[in-house]
mmCIF file of all heavy atoms in Angstrom:
data_model
loop_
_atom_site.group_PDB
_atom_site.id
_atom_site.type_symbol
_atom_site.label_atom_id
_atom_site.label_comp_id
_atom_site.label_asym_id
_atom_site.label_seq_id
_atom_site.Cartn_x
_atom_site.Cartn_y
_atom_site.Cartn_z
ATOM 1 N N THR G 185 -1.539 -1.971 -5.714
ATOM 2 C CA THR G 185 -2.744 -1.182 -5.537
ATOM 3 C C THR G 185 -3.492 -0.790 -6.773
ATOM 4 O O THR G 185 -4.710 -0.310 -6.611
ATOM 5 C CB THR G 185 -2.437 0.056 -4.675
ATOM 6 O OG1 THR G 185 -1.647 0.974 -5.488
ATOM 7 C CG2 THR G 185 -1.756 -0.222 -3.407
ATOM 8 N N HIS G 186 -2.984 -0.785 -7.951
ATOM 9 C CA HIS G 186 -3.651 -0.214 -9.121
ATOM 10 C C HIS G 186 -4.517 -1.197 -9.783
ATOM 11 O O HIS G 186 -4.162 -2.322 -10.232
ATOM 12 C CB HIS G 186 -2.627 0.294 -10.073
ATOM 13 C CG HIS G 186 -3.200 1.247 -11.132
ATOM 14 N ND1 HIS G 186 -4.053 2.299 -10.772
ATOM 15 C CD2 HIS G 186 -3.030 1.313 -12.499
ATOM 16 C CE1 HIS G 186 -4.405 2.902 -11.875
ATOM 17 N NE2 HIS G 186 -3.789 2.361 -12.902
ATOM 18 N N VAL G 187 -5.851 -0.862 -9.912
ATOM 19 C CA VAL G 187 -6.844 -1.787 -10.418
ATOM 20 C C VAL G 187 -6.511 -2.161 -11.888
ATOM 21 O O VAL G 187 -6.577 -3.322 -12.233
ATOM 22 C CB VAL G 187 -8.313 -1.074 -10.330
ATOM 23 C CG1 VAL G 187 -9.283 -1.986 -11.090
ATOM 24 C CG2 VAL G 187 -8.651 -0.875 -8.971
ATOM 25 N N ASP G 188 -6.078 -1.218 -12.694
ATOM 26 C CA ASP G 188 -5.775 -1.564 -14.053
ATOM 27 C C ASP G 188 -4.601 -2.613 -14.210
ATOM 28 O O ASP G 188 -4.678 -3.532 -14.951
ATOM 29 C CB ASP G 188 -5.315 -0.230 -14.858
ATOM 30 C CG ASP G 188 -6.456 0.606 -15.076
ATOM 31 O OD1 ASP G 188 -7.641 0.294 -14.798
ATOM 32 O OD2 ASP G 188 -6.279 1.748 -15.662
ATOM 33 N N ARG G 189 -3.657 -2.457 -13.383
ATOM 34 C CA ARG G 189 -2.563 -3.423 -13.353
ATOM 35 C C ARG G 189 -3.093 -4.743 -12.903
ATOM 36 O O ARG G 189 -2.553 -5.850 -13.418
ATOM 37 C CB ARG G 189 -1.377 -2.939 -12.494
ATOM 38 C CG ARG G 189 -0.562 -1.854 -12.998
ATOM 39 C CD ARG G 189 0.618 -1.546 -12.095
ATOM 40 N NE ARG G 189 1.291 -0.370 -12.484
ATOM 41 C CZ ARG G 189 2.367 -0.287 -13.295
ATOM 42 N NH1 ARG G 189 2.786 -1.375 -13.882
ATOM 43 N NH2 ARG G 189 2.979 0.860 -13.550
ATOM 44 N N SER G 190 -4.008 -4.809 -12.037
ATOM 45 C CA SER G 190 -4.550 -6.001 -11.529
ATOM 46 C C SER G 190 -5.357 -6.785 -12.587
ATOM 47 O O SER G 190 -5.440 -8.030 -12.607
ATOM 48 C CB SER G 190 -5.409 -5.899 -10.255
ATOM 49 O OG SER G 190 -6.719 -5.425 -10.610
ATOM 50 N N ILE G 191 -5.956 -6.045 -13.562
ATOM 51 C CA ILE G 191 -6.615 -6.627 -14.657
ATOM 52 C C ILE G 191 -5.658 -7.304 -15.588
ATOM 53 O O ILE G 191 -5.945 -8.384 -16.116
ATOM 54 C CB ILE G 191 -7.493 -5.598 -15.398
ATOM 55 C CG1 ILE G 191 -8.549 -5.080 -14.458
ATOM 56 C CG2 ILE G 191 -8.040 -6.102 -16.743
ATOM 57 C CD1 ILE G 191 -9.352 -3.839 -15.028
ATOM 58 N N ASP G 192 -4.508 -6.743 -15.820
ATOM 59 C CA ASP G 192 -3.484 -7.252 -16.630
ATOM 60 C C ASP G 192 -2.702 -8.439 -15.993
ATOM 61 O O ASP G 192 -2.363 -9.396 -16.700
ATOM 62 C CB ASP G 192 -2.485 -6.179 -17.109
ATOM 63 C CG ASP G 192 -2.615 -5.806 -18.529
ATOM 64 O OD1 ASP G 192 -3.699 -6.090 -19.121
ATOM 65 O OD2 ASP G 192 -1.743 -5.145 -19.019
ATOM 66 N N ASP G 193 -2.470 -8.330 -14.758
ATOM 67 C CA ASP G 193 -1.554 -9.344 -14.077
ATOM 68 C C ASP G 193 -2.147 -9.673 -12.666
ATOM 69 O O ASP G 193 -1.555 -9.331 -11.684
ATOM 70 C CB ASP G 193 -0.188 -8.689 -13.938
ATOM 71 C CG ASP G 193 0.862 -9.661 -13.515
ATOM 72 O OD1 ASP G 193 0.541 -10.847 -13.347
ATOM 73 O OD2 ASP G 193 2.028 -9.305 -13.322
ATOM 74 N N PRO G 194 -3.307 -10.346 -12.683
ATOM 75 C CA PRO G 194 -3.983 -10.605 -11.371
ATOM 76 C C PRO G 194 -3.130 -11.487 -10.437
ATOM 77 O O PRO G 194 -3.163 -11.288 -9.183
ATOM 78 C CB PRO G 194 -5.256 -11.336 -11.754
ATOM 79 C CG PRO G 194 -4.938 -11.877 -13.117
ATOM 80 C CD PRO G 194 -3.995 -10.909 -13.754
ATOM 81 N N LEU G 195 -2.306 -12.360 -10.928
ATOM 82 C CA LEU G 195 -1.573 -13.256 -10.049
ATOM 83 C C LEU G 195 -0.514 -12.524 -9.227
ATOM 84 O O LEU G 195 -0.190 -12.898 -8.099
ATOM 85 C CB LEU G 195 -0.916 -14.430 -10.875
ATOM 86 C CG LEU G 195 -1.970 -15.404 -11.485
ATOM 87 C CD1 LEU G 195 -1.177 -16.532 -12.219
ATOM 88 C CD2 LEU G 195 -2.928 -15.929 -10.380
ATOM 89 N N ARG G 196 0.064 -11.478 -9.817
ATOM 90 C CA ARG G 196 0.974 -10.694 -9.028
ATOM 91 C C ARG G 196 0.286 -10.057 -7.813
ATOM 92 O O ARG G 196 0.887 -9.951 -6.719
ATOM 93 C CB ARG G 196 1.593 -9.470 -9.881
ATOM 94 C CG ARG G 196 2.431 -8.578 -9.066
ATOM 95 C CD ARG G 196 2.941 -7.443 -9.902
ATOM 96 N NE ARG G 196 3.862 -7.892 -10.955
ATOM 97 C CZ ARG G 196 4.474 -7.065 -11.892
ATOM 98 N NH1 ARG G 196 4.298 -5.802 -11.772
ATOM 99 N NH2 ARG G 196 5.243 -7.535 -12.745
ATOM 100 N N PHE G 197 -0.921 -9.686 -7.928
ATOM 101 C CA PHE G 197 -1.663 -9.072 -6.850
ATOM 102 C C PHE G 197 -1.978 -10.140 -5.840
ATOM 103 O O PHE G 197 -1.913 -9.879 -4.601
ATOM 104 C CB PHE G 197 -2.968 -8.426 -7.364
ATOM 105 C CG PHE G 197 -2.684 -7.102 -7.954
ATOM 106 C CD1 PHE G 197 -1.981 -6.984 -9.146
ATOM 107 C CD2 PHE G 197 -3.142 -5.890 -7.346
ATOM 108 C CE1 PHE G 197 -1.748 -5.697 -9.729
ATOM 109 C CE2 PHE G 197 -2.962 -4.679 -7.868
ATOM 110 C CZ PHE G 197 -2.241 -4.587 -9.106
ATOM 111 N N VAL G 198 -2.337 -11.369 -6.229
ATOM 112 C CA VAL G 198 -2.528 -12.491 -5.289
ATOM 113 C C VAL G 198 -1.250 -12.724 -4.506
ATOM 114 O O VAL G 198 -1.232 -12.952 -3.295
ATOM 115 C CB VAL G 198 -3.053 -13.699 -5.996
ATOM 116 C CG1 VAL G 198 -3.128 -14.885 -5.056
ATOM 117 C CG2 VAL G 198 -4.442 -13.471 -6.638
ATOM 118 N N GLU G 199 -0.156 -12.794 -5.250
ATOM 119 C CA GLU G 199 1.159 -13.130 -4.595
ATOM 120 C C GLU G 199 1.549 -12.091 -3.604
ATOM 121 O O GLU G 199 1.866 -12.412 -2.376
ATOM 122 C CB GLU G 199 2.236 -13.204 -5.601
ATOM 123 C CG GLU G 199 2.174 -14.426 -6.473
ATOM 124 C CD GLU G 199 3.140 -14.422 -7.709
ATOM 125 O OE1 GLU G 199 3.804 -13.400 -7.879
ATOM 126 O OE2 GLU G 199 3.199 -15.376 -8.363
ATOM 127 N N THR G 200 1.429 -10.806 -3.932
ATOM 128 C CA THR G 200 1.873 -9.706 -2.986
ATOM 129 C C THR G 200 0.892 -9.500 -1.901
ATOM 130 O O THR G 200 1.157 -9.493 -0.712
ATOM 131 C CB THR G 200 2.114 -8.447 -3.764
ATOM 132 O OG1 THR G 200 3.107 -8.635 -4.690
ATOM 133 C CG2 THR G 200 2.465 -7.304 -2.837
ATOM 134 N N ASN G 201 -0.408 -9.355 -2.275
ATOM 135 C CA ASN G 201 -1.407 -8.962 -1.284
ATOM 136 C C ASN G 201 -1.955 -10.059 -0.398
ATOM 137 O O ASN G 201 -2.274 -9.848 0.773
ATOM 138 C CB ASN G 201 -2.549 -8.237 -2.024
ATOM 139 C CG ASN G 201 -2.171 -6.978 -2.758
ATOM 140 O OD1 ASN G 201 -1.021 -6.575 -2.644
ATOM 141 N ND2 ASN G 201 -3.039 -6.476 -3.615
ATOM 142 N N VAL G 202 -2.037 -11.253 -0.962
ATOM 143 C CA VAL G 202 -2.519 -12.409 -0.217
ATOM 144 C C VAL G 202 -1.371 -13.207 0.414
ATOM 145 O O VAL G 202 -1.292 -13.313 1.675
ATOM 146 C CB VAL G 202 -3.448 -13.309 -1.048
ATOM 147 C CG1 VAL G 202 -3.964 -14.497 -0.253
ATOM 148 C CG2 VAL G 202 -4.620 -12.488 -1.671
ATOM 149 N N LEU G 203 -0.516 -13.759 -0.421
ATOM 150 C CA LEU G 203 0.584 -14.570 0.079
ATOM 151 C C LEU G 203 1.577 -13.644 0.906
ATOM 152 O O LEU G 203 2.014 -14.172 1.959
ATOM 153 C CB LEU G 203 1.335 -15.277 -1.047
ATOM 154 C CG LEU G 203 0.530 -16.343 -1.821
ATOM 155 C CD1 LEU G 203 1.401 -16.938 -2.895
ATOM 156 C CD2 LEU G 203 -0.002 -17.371 -0.834
ATOM 157 N N GLY G 204 1.816 -12.493 0.466
ATOM 158 C CA GLY G 204 2.717 -11.575 1.220
ATOM 159 C C GLY G 204 2.158 -11.299 2.592
ATOM 160 O O GLY G 204 2.903 -11.299 3.634
ATOM 161 N N THR G 205 0.845 -11.032 2.693
ATOM 162 C CA THR G 205 0.217 -10.892 3.968
ATOM 163 C C THR G 205 0.297 -12.081 4.868
ATOM 164 O O THR G 205 0.564 -12.067 6.024
ATOM 165 C CB THR G 205 -1.294 -10.418 3.830
ATOM 166 O OG1 THR G 205 -1.286 -9.130 3.115
ATOM 167 C CG2 THR G 205 -2.007 -10.285 5.070
ATOM 168 N N ALA G 206 0.101 -13.281 4.213
ATOM 169 C CA ALA G 206 0.197 -14.499 5.016
ATOM 170 C C ALA G 206 1.566 -14.702 5.640
ATOM 171 O O ALA G 206 1.669 -15.152 6.762
ATOM 172 C CB ALA G 206 -0.174 -15.740 4.115
ATOM 173 N N HIS G 207 2.629 -14.426 4.850
ATOM 174 C CA HIS G 207 3.986 -14.522 5.360
ATOM 175 C C HIS G 207 4.193 -13.584 6.501
ATOM 176 O O HIS G 207 4.872 -13.892 7.538
ATOM 177 C CB HIS G 207 4.962 -14.340 4.269
ATOM 178 C CG HIS G 207 5.151 -15.461 3.352
ATOM 179 N ND1 HIS G 207 5.675 -16.720 3.780
ATOM 180 C CD2 HIS G 207 4.870 -15.598 1.954
ATOM 181 C CE1 HIS G 207 5.689 -17.577 2.752
ATOM 182 N NE2 HIS G 207 5.257 -16.961 1.682
ATOM 183 N N LEU G 208 3.701 -12.333 6.344
ATOM 184 C CA LEU G 208 3.863 -11.410 7.437
ATOM 185 C C LEU G 208 3.116 -11.884 8.677
ATOM 186 O O LEU G 208 3.679 -11.789 9.809
ATOM 187 C CB LEU G 208 3.295 -9.976 6.984
ATOM 188 C CG LEU G 208 3.289 -8.891 8.061
ATOM 189 C CD1 LEU G 208 4.752 -8.565 8.470
ATOM 190 C CD2 LEU G 208 2.534 -7.692 7.568
ATOM 191 N N LEU G 209 1.918 -12.316 8.521
ATOM 192 C CA LEU G 209 1.159 -12.778 9.671
ATOM 193 C C LEU G 209 1.812 -13.939 10.405
ATOM 194 O O LEU G 209 1.873 -14.011 11.683
ATOM 195 C CB LEU G 209 -0.211 -13.281 9.245
ATOM 196 C CG LEU G 209 -1.176 -12.141 8.839
ATOM 197 C CD1 LEU G 209 -2.422 -12.762 8.072
ATOM 198 C CD2 LEU G 209 -1.604 -11.351 9.954
ATOM 199 N N GLU G 210 2.430 -14.882 9.641
ATOM 200 C CA GLU G 210 3.157 -15.959 10.263
ATOM 201 C C GLU G 210 4.384 -15.550 11.084
ATOM 202 O O GLU G 210 4.685 -15.910 12.157
ATOM 203 C CB GLU G 210 3.574 -17.009 9.219
ATOM 204 C CG GLU G 210 2.566 -18.144 9.069
ATOM 205 C CD GLU G 210 2.326 -18.920 10.303
ATOM 206 O OE1 GLU G 210 3.074 -19.904 10.411
ATOM 207 O OE2 GLU G 210 1.430 -18.511 11.072
ATOM 208 N N SER G 211 5.114 -14.544 10.524
ATOM 209 C CA SER G 211 6.293 -14.020 11.185
ATOM 210 C C SER G 211 5.854 -13.316 12.459
ATOM 211 O O SER G 211 6.502 -13.513 13.555
ATOM 212 C CB SER G 211 6.948 -12.950 10.306
ATOM 213 O OG SER G 211 7.463 -13.586 9.159
ATOM 214 N N LEU G 212 4.725 -12.612 12.429
ATOM 215 C CA LEU G 212 4.236 -11.922 13.643
ATOM 216 C C LEU G 212 3.617 -12.828 14.611
ATOM 217 O O LEU G 212 3.813 -12.642 15.845
ATOM 218 C CB LEU G 212 3.197 -10.758 13.196
ATOM 219 C CG LEU G 212 3.734 -9.633 12.329
ATOM 220 C CD1 LEU G 212 2.584 -8.743 11.885
ATOM 221 C CD2 LEU G 212 4.882 -8.925 12.915
ATOM 222 N N ARG G 213 2.998 -13.877 14.113
ATOM 223 C CA ARG G 213 2.491 -14.874 15.142
ATOM 224 C C ARG G 213 3.556 -15.537 15.917
ATOM 225 O O ARG G 213 3.455 -15.642 17.158
ATOM 226 C CB ARG G 213 1.709 -15.977 14.324
ATOM 227 C CG ARG G 213 1.169 -17.112 15.164
ATOM 228 C CD ARG G 213 0.523 -18.222 14.414
ATOM 229 N NE ARG G 213 1.460 -18.944 13.592
ATOM 230 C CZ ARG G 213 2.188 -19.947 14.101
ATOM 231 N NH1 ARG G 213 2.131 -20.304 15.344
ATOM 232 N NH2 ARG G 213 3.066 -20.665 13.306
ATOM 233 N N ILE G 214 4.567 -15.979 15.264
ATOM 234 C CA ILE G 214 5.796 -16.624 15.903
ATOM 235 C C ILE G 214 6.342 -15.664 16.900
ATOM 236 O O ILE G 214 6.657 -16.001 18.106
ATOM 237 C CB ILE G 214 6.802 -17.068 14.880
ATOM 238 C CG1 ILE G 214 6.225 -18.244 14.056
ATOM 239 C CG2 ILE G 214 8.094 -17.515 15.627
ATOM 240 C CD1 ILE G 214 7.024 -18.549 12.797
ATOM 241 N N PHE G 215 6.536 -14.398 16.491
ATOM 242 C CA PHE G 215 7.110 -13.348 17.361
ATOM 243 C C PHE G 215 6.254 -13.129 18.549
ATOM 244 O O PHE G 215 6.714 -13.045 19.735
ATOM 245 C CB PHE G 215 7.422 -12.108 16.529
ATOM 246 C CG PHE G 215 7.730 -10.885 17.361
ATOM 247 C CD1 PHE G 215 8.950 -10.733 18.031
ATOM 248 C CD2 PHE G 215 6.830 -9.884 17.541
ATOM 249 C CE1 PHE G 215 9.216 -9.634 18.834
ATOM 250 C CE2 PHE G 215 7.061 -8.726 18.311
ATOM 251 C CZ PHE G 215 8.311 -8.595 18.973
ATOM 252 N N PHE G 216 4.962 -12.873 18.347
ATOM 253 C CA PHE G 216 4.028 -12.453 19.296
ATOM 254 C C PHE G 216 3.918 -13.481 20.435
ATOM 255 O O PHE G 216 3.885 -13.115 21.650
ATOM 256 C CB PHE G 216 2.621 -12.308 18.763
ATOM 257 C CG PHE G 216 1.489 -11.983 19.665
ATOM 258 C CD1 PHE G 216 1.433 -10.739 20.320
ATOM 259 C CD2 PHE G 216 0.553 -12.906 19.999
ATOM 260 C CE1 PHE G 216 0.418 -10.433 21.170
ATOM 261 C CE2 PHE G 216 -0.468 -12.704 20.872
ATOM 262 C CZ PHE G 216 -0.530 -11.416 21.491
ATOM 263 N N HIS G 217 3.894 -14.756 20.151
ATOM 264 C CA HIS G 217 3.695 -15.735 21.086
ATOM 265 C C HIS G 217 4.915 -16.021 22.001
ATOM 266 O O HIS G 217 4.907 -16.719 23.017
ATOM 267 C CB HIS G 217 3.192 -17.068 20.505
ATOM 268 C CG HIS G 217 1.759 -17.053 20.201
ATOM 269 N ND1 HIS G 217 0.755 -16.983 21.037
ATOM 270 C CD2 HIS G 217 1.175 -17.014 18.920
ATOM 271 C CE1 HIS G 217 -0.402 -16.884 20.404
ATOM 272 N NE2 HIS G 217 -0.180 -16.945 19.134
ATOM 273 N N LYS G 218 6.083 -15.370 21.604
ATOM 274 C CA LYS G 218 7.233 -15.437 22.425
ATOM 275 C C LYS G 218 7.407 -14.223 23.343
ATOM 276 O O LYS G 218 8.311 -14.177 24.200
ATOM 277 C CB LYS G 218 8.478 -15.523 21.569
ATOM 278 C CG LYS G 218 8.621 -16.862 20.793
ATOM 279 C CD LYS G 218 9.864 -16.834 19.898
ATOM 280 C CE LYS G 218 9.904 -18.150 19.099
ATOM 281 N NZ LYS G 218 11.152 -18.130 18.262
ATOM 282 N N LEU G 219 6.511 -13.244 23.244
ATOM 283 C CA LEU G 219 6.564 -12.062 23.968
ATOM 284 C C LEU G 219 6.069 -12.238 25.410
ATOM 285 O O LEU G 219 5.219 -13.082 25.648
ATOM 286 C CB LEU G 219 5.694 -10.896 23.365
ATOM 287 C CG LEU G 219 6.199 -10.283 22.071
ATOM 288 C CD1 LEU G 219 5.042 -9.298 21.549
ATOM 289 C CD2 LEU G 219 7.494 -9.514 22.274
ATOM 290 N N PRO G 220 6.645 -11.542 26.442
ATOM 291 C CA PRO G 220 6.031 -11.559 27.680
ATOM 292 C C PRO G 220 4.619 -11.037 27.693
ATOM 293 O O PRO G 220 4.186 -10.293 26.823
ATOM 294 C CB PRO G 220 6.975 -10.607 28.546
ATOM 295 C CG PRO G 220 8.224 -10.529 27.728
ATOM 296 C CD PRO G 220 7.841 -10.663 26.319
#
Side-chain angles (χ1 to χ4, degrees):
T185 65
H186 193 48
V187 174
D188 286 357
R189 288 185 187 268
S190 80
I191 294 171
D192 252 15
D193 192 0
L195 294 185
R196 175 184 295 182
F197 282 67
V198 173
E199 289 171 354
T200 297
N201 298 353
V202 180
L203 293 180
T205 296
H207 282 295
L208 176 65
L209 289 169
E210 269 297 270
S211 297
L212 297 177
R213 177 185 68 82
I214 294 168
F215 168 73
F216 174 74
H217 285 293
K218 294 179 180 179
L219 288 175

